[in-house]
Amino acid sequence: MTQWVYSFGDGAAEGTRDMKNLLGGKGANLAEMSSIGLPVPPGFTITTEMCGWYYDHGGRYPDTLDEQISKALSRIENSVGARFGDAENPLLVSVRSGARVSMPGMMDTVLNLGLNDKTVEGLAKRSGDPRFAWDSYRRFIQMYGDVVLGVAHHLFEEALENLKLDKGVDLDTDLDANDWRDLVEIYKQEVKTHLGRPFPQDPQEQLWGAISAVFGSWKIDRAKVYRRLHNIPEDWGTAVNVQAMVFGNMGETSATGVAFTRNPSTGERMIYGEFLINAQGEDVVAGIRTPQYLTREARENGNSAKPSMEEAMPEVFAQLKGVFQTLETHYRDMQDIEFTVQNGKLWMLQTRSGKRTANAALKIAVDMVAEGLITEEEAVMRVDPAALDQLLHPTLDPSAQRDVIAIGLPASPGAASGTVAFTADEAEARAKEGEAVILVRVETSPEDIHGMHAARGILTSRGGMTSHAAVVARGMGRACVSGAGSLRIDVKAGEMTVGGRTIYRGDTITIDGGTGEVMAGHVPTLKAELTGDFASLMEWADRYRTMAVRTNADTPHDTETARNFGAEGIGLCRTEHMFFEGDRIIAVRQMILAEDEEGRRRALDKLLPYQRQDFSEIFRIMRGLPVTIRLLDPPLHEFLPREEKEFSEVAMAMHVNAEHLRRRALDLTEANPMLGHRGCRLGIAYPEIYEMQARAIFEAALAVGEEFGATITPEIMVPLVATESELAFLRERIEAVAETVFEEKGQRLTYLVGSMIELPRAALTANEIARKADFFSFGTNDLTQTTFGISRDDAGGFLPLYVEHGIITRDPFVSIDQKGVGELVRIGAERGRETTPDLKLGICGEHGGDPDSITFCQSAGLDYVSCSPFRVPIARLAAAQAALKAGR
Amino acid sequence: MTQWVYSFGDGAAEGTRDMKNLLGGKGANLAEMSSIGLPVPPGFTITTEMCGWYYDHGGRYPDTLDEQISKALSRIENSVGARFGDAENPLLVSVRSGARVSMPGMMDTVLNLGLNDKTVEGLAKRSGDPRFAWDSYRRFIQMYGDVVLGVAHHLFEEALENLKLDKGVDLDTDLDANDWRDLVEIYKQEVKTHLGRPFPQDPQEQLWGAISAVFGSWKIDRAKVYRRLHNIPEDWGTAVNVQAMVFGNMGETSATGVAFTRNPSTGERMIYGEFLINAQGEDVVAGIRTPQYLTREARENGNSAKPSMEEAMPEVFAQLKGVFQTLETHYRDMQDIEFTVQNGKLWMLQTRSGKRTANAALKIAVDMVAEGLITEEEAVMRVDPAALDQLLHPTLDPSAQRDVIAIGLPASPGAASGTVAFTADEAEARAKEGEAVILVRVETSPEDIHGMHAARGILTSRGGMTSHAAVVARGMGRACVSGAGSLRIDVKAGEMTVGGRTIYRGDTITIDGGTGEVMAGHVPTLKAELTGDFASLMEWADRYRTMAVRTNADTPHDTETARNFGAEGIGLCRTEHMFFEGDRIIAVRQMILAEDEEGRRRALDKLLPYQRQDFSEIFRIMRGLPVTIRLLDPPLHEFLPREEKEFSEVAMAMHVNAEHLRRRALDLTEANPMLGHRGCRLGIAYPEIYEMQARAIFEAALAVGEEFGATITPEIMVPLVATESELAFLRERIEAVAETVFEEKGQRLTYLVGSMIELPRAALTANEIARKADFFSFGTNDLTQTTFGISRDDAGGFLPLYVEHGIITRDPFVSIDQKGVGELVRIGAERGRETTPDLKLGICGEHGGDPDSITFCQSAGLDYVSCSPFRVPIARLAAAQAALKAGR
């Protein structure tokens, strides 16, 4: 016979904390607390399997359930010494839902179940407090009426308000037993009016109604949406917890409270929480009365006149302190606890791992290792890598005032204040004057790079989480809020308006790239702290991870930053940004406008020394760590002016005919540049471009190698490969350049030529491409675009709606889509290694810094992940967790 | 010991015609002819395996080869009664290459090998014809010098010209034995000057030199390029054929000729060919003398005074006629034959399947079935489906004069003459006046549809084989030449210039969509013939194929056309073209400009009757055959004006503010529309659009079903699905509309809801999508774009270069890329059928009409292909061939 019901209480339990899948989180922990001898009101849990059965059988129950519940109820009765429905000495119970994970939207709680017109008298008599008894009864009707019977709760609230008006009183506490009794009558009438039948008087009927209501709430819309958004399977179901009532509102020796075993904001080891004398749990939350501190120290720090629990109930407090210690030692984690004191006796109602800030998570994990409570591996597993982001960037002082004027997307973390500049040039000029600047643009383009670099933060009115602004800002570690659509930016006038306010060029604003908030004026920020606990955790993470962590960095500054964050190499050095700097863009444009190969080569000759210099600096900073350089990727039109008015300006600077420039730009225009003439297609059409880049790489590597007396092994990466033949064609030319340079310099070096795998075809034919590739780097940004057929520049029009409708659960540009894009990564890795068993595999898309994606990369067998500099620590931690999970 | 050499001759042979892989095509057929007792000059074939060995061993030969060649050579000597290198009675041989398939670029032939300063005297004596002997020697030096020794052939030609000038003669025939002897000296001197050593006198050295030259020519650039373009593996290699010389130039009883056993232009059963008395093979080809007819009838029809072979050599002709009969019966196909008559004796030099026109292929295949020579299945296999295209469209009269002014891409077959119109409106207006019109545009867009429909042909200066113009023209069966880049079109001035000539609006031009030619003036065309042989072949094809053939048709006219061509349903009815017609576009634009759902619904209500009408007409024409209707696919901005000047025009017509219209258009602009807000993403953002379309489909299907007293089972297809959840979301809404309509009408019908599989993610997650889909249709156009990451609109910039460099062998938009795109189709089919074993699978991309792609579809297990109406017969034949191949 299936066991549907698990009892607990009196220092014993049928369940354990490991049975969360069956008993739900709350039920499992109640059982556990009971087992280890903590004072838990006796009760029982109806399993999540029962929930599944219930739905599979059209809302019916198996015959055996009745019997099992009866037995469990008897056990409670025996323990408490009261009987369910007994008019003299009634047992009252609470009924609560409890799924595997806590889930808003589900039915929460019904208290005081078992009260009716008769038992209420018994309760009054036995407690000697009729006011308490009738108050309890009316609370029960209200809760049960609302959540089980579906009578709108505002009806009950209005009735109470009316009663108070009638009585001429302001506060609930001014009502006496008779008033509550009157209210009970009114409530019962309300229920009858709306239900067409009286409020159920039979406690058994009440109990079964509440149980069904809990199961029923598993499938209400709000719960469904929540599950879809959080990827919680429909078939998990919820458990039901039925537990003897204890009362914190039975007078001055009763109380109720919540506590954390450590400070959830800072992680400090202290008792942290609050309580209320003579109150029920809901009163603490409702905020009608101000709760009191638990410890004397906290009361003194808080300048409160009301006594702390430590002072008011010293004995119970001492007992509670002991329970805290027991629970932390037992669970080996900081606990979030609910308790009630009834007539001086302590009862534990809930314990669970406490939510905490990133700072606290870090401190608690490191402290617990020091305390010998957990191992290093466990500490590594305890900190959410994504939360580290908060620690790596300046954050807004939480105590500061904020004047929020708009909200955009939290595109690149960190908070920054500065004066507004509407063009990249202005941002650069102001920064040179020593101003902190926020660059504000409708959207950014590669030509804004210098301004973005000069700015502290970037704010755009258009573009998503993976727009140019967002990607570049994350790469640079600049705060960025993108797509703040309510801003109306007028660059010419040098102003923007939002919600009727106008911000002028030079005004100060603050952006929070972690929340997307845009604020007027200066808001003070707190600096990041990267030593101490942070350093310890990172050290442990490095010890346990198996994947290397590289960075995506294009400039010496980014490279330096990434090294400081612990990057073990560069996984992606894009060369296109280099083409925009200073005078180079003129040579680049001359190259594009040249009529023939010879003209292109002349222009490229001018670029060669710059490129060599770029690569030399990066090789120097990386001092022999691997550096993967991606050859030119974007379509050539990105280097030509876009705006009509720029043409004559640029033409003048270049000494060419504006009409010619315009025509060439038009010629190069593409319907879908993402799928156009870019990547290795450029290298095939104009081999001289890649030849110049290859030469610059080889010359720089030889020169820097000589400086160090060491060998540099450059890794040359060919973008947008779709066929083996493309890579073969280009590899042959790169090898020829290498031989020429080696001959000229009289020195050789080892180098790798590899392929981006960023098109579905490349993944599918990876066995062929591997014949010509020394390594693969999965470019999951473009792979996501092509696999989904979604342009990330245009996704803003529908992806948010997709998330809203639950059609996708996460933006696939943020966290890798494992079923589609991930499947191609798996296929690519497998097939590549069919050809070359030890083929080096990495990932260099935005996903390289996303913890879930990193876990995926581990499972796909990749050798390294590469991410923007500021995400390197996140990746190190996530990679460690992935390795530990995989090793289990 | 490996057998490297295979002998033939004297009614026997070591090889057979089935050994083409080993002996090459020529060698296998020489062996075969020899075996069946035809008179073949004795010889031997060195195998293609030897070619591989030769390259694997750095151009060396195995020791055993020498011995095998010696033996084979002795056999020839014994047969002919002459000895190789014998000064009295020398054996002369020819050396020819011969790969599995004939391959231009390879070394062709060396004749008369074995001649030197001594043997030439022997030949003179034995033949009694010194002029013949010295002429033969100088021919040998010339050929051998050119192809084996690498002495430029123009040097020999110049020397001959100089000699003739010296002698004061015009024709070769005016030179006598002494003159040829002088020329031999000059030639030998020429060789010595350029080679630094004398012309080889040793016949063995000559022979080995020729053999190595044949093997060496396998890897010359021209041959490599040819192989890459025709997908011929490098490792096939070539064979070498060495054969005793026979001479057609030994006087009036000698001759040489070529013949087909049937007329290769018309397929008529007749002896077709020409011959020359006293000539060698090369003379027939060289065209110095006019060849004579073979039969008297042909001579009479040709009004020739020179006797036919039938008249001049009646006995040999009779023998030849017998050989033709033997060969046709033996090979069961029309043969292309070379022969030589030496002193009244017939020698067969080559036979192979003859190349033929599409018309001839059809007639020969059908005739041979009637003659009992081949089976229906064989007939089906004999006709190249791609060649059928020629038969389905009007073709240019081959005898007409052509004034070609430009060449573009052969984008849609058929030839058409008409007056030039530069706008769709003008094309329509002229067509209404009864003119045949050619619409000339830089490129076309959906707004040009009415003009394209009105025109006989379409010519564009931009865009590839899968540009809008090309795709739509193929769909409509209009001739189209696209991407004729040399045209400079000035729409405003109403003229275009090309090569210094100007064509004005209203001038007549002719385009040939089968070749890409653009001609000035009118060129007469021949009409297509779809009955008789064509109908027979189609009937047989239908009998043997297993895949159904549907059509892609959006209009009643196309639907009608496709039915006439034998389409068994509609695989893709696009609904977007319908949105442009007449006044509808106004309602469509109102829908797009509406501020809210209600506004959109109002506009959609106006479209509903039109859509219902569209679908009703199509259902009526298809009379119960399946019709798959794809819901709206393109991004909304395609329905708004593009050109600045159109905005006010359109705004006026719509009674809206031009600025508003412009702003909305700007809002909708996308960086990569192909990857943007289109397909089912529209249906999710604006469910009311798909709801209107679904309603129109159900209402039309019910109404037409009632007319016929039959049930229509519409198939509703959702485009651009990437996730199961998208299809689930839309399916639910379509089902709701169905229920509403069924309730309103009091009737029900069965319908299918299926998914396009046109994104890599859809193929990869086909097992999930299949849960919500009644059928899949692989949209291989978009699947190619996303799998390769290539926009077909922009591919013109690099794909031609890719083909040129041999990086890809065929445009993947024309023939499916089996390794990449095809792999996804296989994965999609497999995974889809994991969920639903009998899931209906089809293809509706352009590939549905490409024979190689159809073969692929058969292997992938698809149930049907769908293609443009004019390709339906091609698809029927290709599907039959695929089924027969698969069944073998």
Side-chain angles (χ1 to χ4, degrees), chain A residues 251-266:
Chain A
E252 293 305 306
T253 58
S254 297
T256 190
V258 295
F260 290 86
T261 57
R262 307 201 181 206
N263 183 324
S265 288
T266 65

Side-chain angles (χ1 to χ4, degrees), chain A residues 549-551 559 562-564 566-571 618-628 708 710-715 840:
Chain A
V549 175
R550 297 196 189 181
T551 191
T559 310
R563 278 226 58 178
N564 291 340
E568 297 165 290
I570 293 182
I618 288 170
F619 287 140
R620 252 178 231 121
I621 296 167
M622 295 311 281
R623 293 196 147 259
L625 291 178
V627 174
T628 304
F708 290 168
T711 348
I712 309 275
T713 303
E715 304 181 352
K840 186 154 67 162

Side-chain angles (χ1 to χ4, degrees), chain A residues 671-675 681 685 725-726 759 761 768 786-791 794 801-802 807 817 819 823 831, chain B residues 671-675 681 685 725-726 759 761 768 786-791 794 802 807 817 819 823 831:
Chain A
N672 297 289
M674 159 66 204
L675 307 175
R681 298 161 194 170
S725 52
E726 289 170 327
L759 295 174
R761 195 182 192 283
E768 296 187 353
T786 45
T787 304
F788 263 97
I790 291 181
S791 157
D794 305 314
L801 192 76
Y802 268 42
I807 290 173
D817 156 52
K819 285 183 186 174
E823 174 75 354
R831 296 190 179 176
Chain B
N672 296 289
M674 159 67 205
L675 307 174
R681 298 161 194 169
S725 51
E726 288 170 327
L759 296 173
R761 196 183 190 284
E768 296 186 355
T786 46
T787 305
F788 263 97
I790 292 181
S791 157
D794 304 314
Y802 267 43
I807 290 173
D817 157 53
K819 286 183 184 173
E823 174 76 356
R831 296 190 180 176

Side-chain angles (χ1 to χ4, degrees), chain A residues 721-724 757-770 776 778 783 787 820-821 823-832 834-835, chain B residues 759-761 763-764 783-784 786-788 817-828 831:
Chain A
V721 168
T723 69
E724 180 194 0
I757 302 290
E758 55 187 333
L759 295 174
R761 195 182 192 283
L764 294 164
T765 61
N767 48 338
E768 296 187 353
I769 293 172
F776 280 175
F778 289 95
L783 193 59
T787 304
V821 179
E823 174 75 354
L824 283 175
V825 172
R826 269 188 296 263
I827 289 174
E830 267 172 36
R831 296 190 179 176
E834 274 170 27
T835 300
Chain B
L759 296 173
R761 196 183 190 284
L764 293 164
L783 193 59
T784 300
T786 46
T787 305
F788 263 97
D817 157 53
Q818 299 197 17
K819 286 183 184 173
V821 179
E823 174 76 356
L824 283 174
V825 171
R826 271 187 295 263
I827 289 174
R831 296 190 180 176

Side-chain angles (χ1 to χ4, degrees), chain A residues 390-409:
Chain A
Q390 293 176 32
L391 307 180
L392 300 174
H393 297 275
T395 47
L396 289 180
D397 184 343
S399 60
Q401 278 294 113
R402 304 180 188 197
D403 174 12
V404 176
I405 54 174
I407 295 190
L409 300 170

